[in-house]
Amino acid sequence: MKKVVSIVLAVVLCVPTILLADGMDRIRRVNTPCRGVDSEDVKVSRSAITMCGNLAVLEATALYHPDLGTRFHAVKRLKDKNILEKVRALVEKIKPKTAFDKKMKPHLLKLLEQKIGKKKAVKKEAPISVADIRKMTDIGQLSKIFNGSQSFEVRLAAVKRVVDIFSFIDCVAPDKCDATEAEKSRENLEKIRAVVIKAIPLIEKLKAIEGKEELLAELRKMEVQLSPEPGEEAYIDRELLLEEVNKLRAENNLDPIEGYDERLDAAALGWAKMHFEKQLPALTHKRKGSTPKKRVLASGFQTDGAGENLARPIMSNARVVFTDWLSSESHRENMLDGDWTKMGVACVYAPYAKGGLTEYVCAQVFAMPETE
């Protein structure tokens, strides 16, 4: 009985002592003054770091302390994986100068691996030739190559290929493709936009490469075309469109359109903007008494007649818009009317149509000067 009482008394007396000791240890850890915060000049000792309760000092020690043994003890007490990743990157570069550090480096790296996991192996990209790039048609693949680790020559070739493909995006209008095709075209346009925005400042910094200014000019056009404001006029390659129209007219033994007239451009822009402002669900040539001829006359261009083509493409690309009009019998007839001598064109960014297939409203206006 005396033995039992003695044991109980011993436990009762010892437990508070143990708890007190543990509490004092915690207090010492928190209050221990440690030097070297956020500095490579870390002077805290190995024994002191085991008692240090200052997180900033622990991190600084793990990152910069010249003694790998001290770093080891600091790492044991850290949990932030971002800091530990930085520590690992620094330790991997260290060339140990002492026998102790040579012995400690693998132990420290093993501890870091246990705390944050194995380092992911970086896969090296297989080399790609410029000739391979010129055959590619996948925008996603070209985007990855541009953003990857290939040679600058190959990345530049990827940008040029993206510019080429931009003119031949599938799905030119809502009635020419289904929702799946339209979504794919949209995704491709977003990928192209990302490449263009990143490529422009990169190429601007180059001192001299063949065709630099021409490539930059094309990329800047694309940037404007891919980033318009709703309701605002969007860029379209006017010269290319005129070239395509006159090529079609030449094939049909017709005189070419002489060129653009700014008054016809204004008439085209006004009617395209009206579709956005009124949120019209369908294209129309007449509304509340307005007709193509009346709009041309209102612009100040005196004429005996006028013609108009309208389109709702997913992008204001001249080749895409021309292809859209060419595939429609009535629009084709307008472009092949032998009476026209002048032309106007404008596209407006109009992201309002149901189903999300329509992005732009483009208008093409034809007329001939009034005969006396």
Side-chain angles (χ1 to χ4, degrees), residues 162-163 166 192 196 218-226:
V162 164
V163 172
F166 179 64
I192 289 175
V196 169
E218 195 63 34
L219 288 170
R220 288 183 184 122
K221 286 179 189 176
M222 289 167 64
E223 183 182 26
V224 172
Q225 195 169 333
L226 289 163

Side-chain angles (χ1 to χ4, degrees), residues 158-269:
V159 173
K160 291 178 179 178
R161 184 59 182 154
V162 164
V163 172
D164 291 339
I165 294 174
F166 179 64
S167 298
F168 298 97
I169 289 288
D170 295 327
C171 180
V172 296
D175 59 343
K176 305 293 190 301
C177 60
D178 61 25
T180 302
E181 291 173 317
E183 184 60 31
K184 183 179 178 182
S185 292
R186 287 178 182 285
E187 289 174 1
N188 282 336
L189 289 174
E190 281 303 312
K191 290 172 184 174
I192 289 175
R193 183 174 179 275
V195 170
V196 169
I197 289 172
K198 192 172 179 180
I200 289 174
L202 183 72
I203 295 170
E204 282 176 335
K205 292 177 183 177
L206 298 178
K207 291 183 178 178
I209 60 166
E210 187 179 351
K212 173 185 172 180
E213 293 308 319
E214 291 82 356
L215 178 58
L216 274 176
E218 195 63 34
L219 288 170
R220 288 183 184 122
K221 286 179 189 176
M222 289 167 64
E223 183 182 26
V224 172
Q225 195 169 333
L226 289 163
S227 308
E229 291 294 323
E232 293 301 311
E233 184 175 8
Y235 170 83
I236 185 167
D237 192 332
R238 296 161 56 80
E239 297 310 312
L240 177 59
L241 182 60
L242 181 61
E243 182 184 317
E244 293 291 346
V245 170
N246 281 335
K247 192 185 297 181
L248 175 66
R249 290 171 72 88
E251 290 169 359
N252 289 271
N253 300 313
L254 293 171
D255 290 333
I257 297 293
E258 295 171 5
Y260 288 99
D261 187 287
E262 61 183 17
R263 292 165 294 181
L264 299 184
D265 287 334
L269 178 61

